[in-house]
Amino acid sequence: MGQSLIPFSMAQKTSFNVAVIGAGAIGLDHLASFKQHPAARVVALAEVSPQRGREAADKFNIPELVTDYKILLARDDIDVVSIALPNYLHAAVALDALKAGKHVMLDKPMATNARDAARLVAEAKKRAVLFMVGQNNRFTPEVQTLKQLIAKGVLGDVYHGKTAWTRRTGIPRIGSWFTQTKFAGGGSTYDIGVHALDRCLFLMGEFDAVAVSGQTYSKFGSRGLGEGSWGRSEIDPKKPFDVDDMSLALIKLRSGRTVLLETSWAAHQGQHDFNGTQLFGTEAGALFPPLQLFRRTKLGYATESVPVSTSLVDGNRMVHFIDCLLGKAEPYVKPAESLAVQKILDAIYASAKSGREVRIK
């Protein structure tokens, strides 16, 4: 693909200096992922914890380690800033990076409210820089393959989706920032529900929701149960668990189509971890994992296993990000789509609080 695909101000460059902000569990993933692209050089790391920062800097041979991320934003030689911080810091730090003229990869969720998320979209557009939210579930082979099948019309008109990420015991360390509303904004819905929601809307090709009915629960974490092992953040057992560990939502799209979302960190269920989506079309249905099609054939009703491919984009979201800057790919996750997802997340919590359906303007 030619450079004309990419309107970003640095699209003519052939290599990019990257700074990562945050060296927690997801920050380590950012660091390792950027290392996979030959045109990406991770030259700096910002981390408030001296121990986490030094461990990460040594492991990935990063030449500069600071505790104040603004020092890195002032460096003219840094092209890309990748943000892996607690949710409540996403919007503020990303806005600073965008204002500094940096291309920004931001981990999900985009923000803790749509108002702040909208500011990020506007600033990225104003600065003509690449801004992407790391919705990594879009990049899986199942999603990429199913997206191609839908584009070819194999499912016909896809009118409903059921999407879920549910865990039996997966609360990210009770007492960490994940389990406190003032730092996380929300619980399982923000942490893993956002992935299930984003990929379903992406597959259906529609993000314009008009109404949401949602319900949240906190049945396990509030009793000190259901803890998983994810994360490296500090734990304070005295801090209250005041986020959701399960949620449900019915989302009505402007076209009249619907999405049923289910998420849980902790619940009594057969599988330890289920992360999948089912689509209902006029010509066929689909479900993953594993990827299967359900449809009528001349020989009767059939369930077909579908081999998966990764022919759309590189499965590593950081590699894809750099490919976009090089003009080799078009952004697979667009800011307007991530903003629409944020509006739905807001509506789920508002509906659960009010007990009523919430309309989205």
Side-chain angles (χ1 to χ4, degrees):
M1 298 182 184
Q3 294 285 351
S4 61
L5 279 174
I6 307 301
F8 312 119
S9 57
M10 295 184 182
Q12 301 301 320
K13 296 192 66 166
T14 58
S15 63
F16 300 89
N17 288 338
V18 179
V20 174
I21 302 176
I26 197 64
L28 297 180
D29 176 79
H30 284 220
L31 291 166
S33 297
F34 275 114
K35 288 283 188 178
Q36 300 305 308
H37 201 299
R41 298 190 300 265
V42 181
V43 298
L45 171 66
E47 168 56 54
V48 295
S49 166
Q51 179 180 353
R52 283 199 303 265
R54 177 46 53 196
E55 288 175 354
D58 290 345
K59 180 177 181 179
F60 293 98
N61 298 313
I62 301 169
E64 182 172 10
L65 171 64
V66 300
T67 55
D68 184 354
Y69 72 90
K70 292 184 179 179
I71 295 173
L72 305 183
L73 299 187
R75 283 180 51 174
D76 292 336
D77 65 319
I78 289 178
D79 308 309
V80 174
V81 170
S82 193
I83 299 169
L85 294 169
N87 298 347
Y88 79 106
L89 294 171
H90 284 191
V93 177
L95 188 61
D96 284 345
L98 292 169
K99 287 182 176 179
K102 310 302 184 185
H103 300 292
V104 174
M105 167 61 80
L106 175 63
D107 214 78
K108 58 76 198 168
M110 192 177 194
T112 55
N113 61 76
R115 181 181 61 257
D116 288 345
R119 292 193 182 103
L120 300 181
V121 176
E123 192 66 29
K125 183 177 181 180
K126 175 183 176 182
R127 303 286 176 175
V129 293
L130 177 59
F131 172 50
M132 188 180 298
V133 177
Q135 295 290 172
N136 56 19
N137 273 229
R138 288 196 194 189
F139 292 80
T140 66
E142 291 88 355
V143 172
Q144 292 198 42
T145 302
L146 184 51
K147 185 70 172 176
Q148 290 176 315
L149 294 176
I150 294 169
K152 292 176 182 177
V154 173
L155 273 64
D157 175 25
V158 179
Y159 55 91
H160 178 62
K162 290 170 60 178
T163 189
W165 194 339
T166 59
R167 292 173 176 167
R168 185 190 299 156
T169 50
I171 298 174
R173 306 174 78 224
I174 296 173
S176 70
W177 68 262
F178 279 98
T179 61
Q180 300 173 63
T181 296
K182 65 179 180 179
F183 298 127
S188 62
T189 313
Y190 266 10
D191 182 37
I192 56 179
V194 63
H195 283 306
L197 173 61
D198 177 81
R199 69 164 177 251
C200 188
L201 296 175
F202 172 68
L203 286 168
M204 295 176 73
E206 184 177 2
F207 287 80
D208 191 4
V210 295
V212 175
S213 293
Q215 181 63 52
T216 61
Y217 299 94
S218 180
K219 300 294 186 182
F220 287 80
S222 56
R223 294 186 288 151
L225 304 174
E227 188 172 61
S229 59
W230 171 260
R232 303 177 74 236
S233 300
E234 293 80 3
I235 292 175
D236 184 348
K238 298 179 182 178
K239 296 297 183 180
F241 182 99
D242 61 359
V243 295
D244 55 286
D245 53 29
M246 184 179 193
S247 70
L248 306 166
L250 175 63
I251 301 148
K252 298 178 182 178
L253 304 178
R254 190 167 299 279
S255 65
R257 297 186 290 173
T258 50
V259 172
L260 185 62
L261 170 68
E262 182 181 6
T263 180
S264 70
W265 272 341
H268 291 304
Q269 61 180 39
Q271 290 177 266
H272 177 69
D273 191 311
F274 174 78
N275 184 15
T277 294
Q278 184 172 9
L279 297 180
F280 299 82
T282 53
E283 302 302 318
L287 170 69
F288 66 85
L291 183 55
Q292 303 172 79
L293 288 179
F294 314 106
R295 56 183 171 181
R296 296 188 183 279
T297 69
K298 293 180 180 179
L299 300 177
Y301 208 86
T303 297
E304 306 169 25
S305 296
V306 180
V308 298
S309 66
T310 56
S311 58
L312 285 178
V313 300
D314 193 290
N316 181 327
R317 66 197 185 284
M318 307 307 179
V319 169
H320 170 70
F321 189 88
I322 299 299
D323 280 346
C324 289
L325 291 175
L326 291 170
K328 296 180 178 180
E330 294 184 81
Y332 205 46
V333 184
K334 296 177 174 59
E337 296 169 348
S338 296
L339 174 56
V341 169
Q342 184 67 55
K343 289 180 179 179
I344 296 172
L345 295 176
D346 285 4
I348 291 172
Y349 284 110
S351 175
K353 184 177 181 179
S354 68
R356 299 185 178 93
E357 180 181 79
V358 170
R359 305 291 297 183
I360 298 179
K361 298 180 181 180

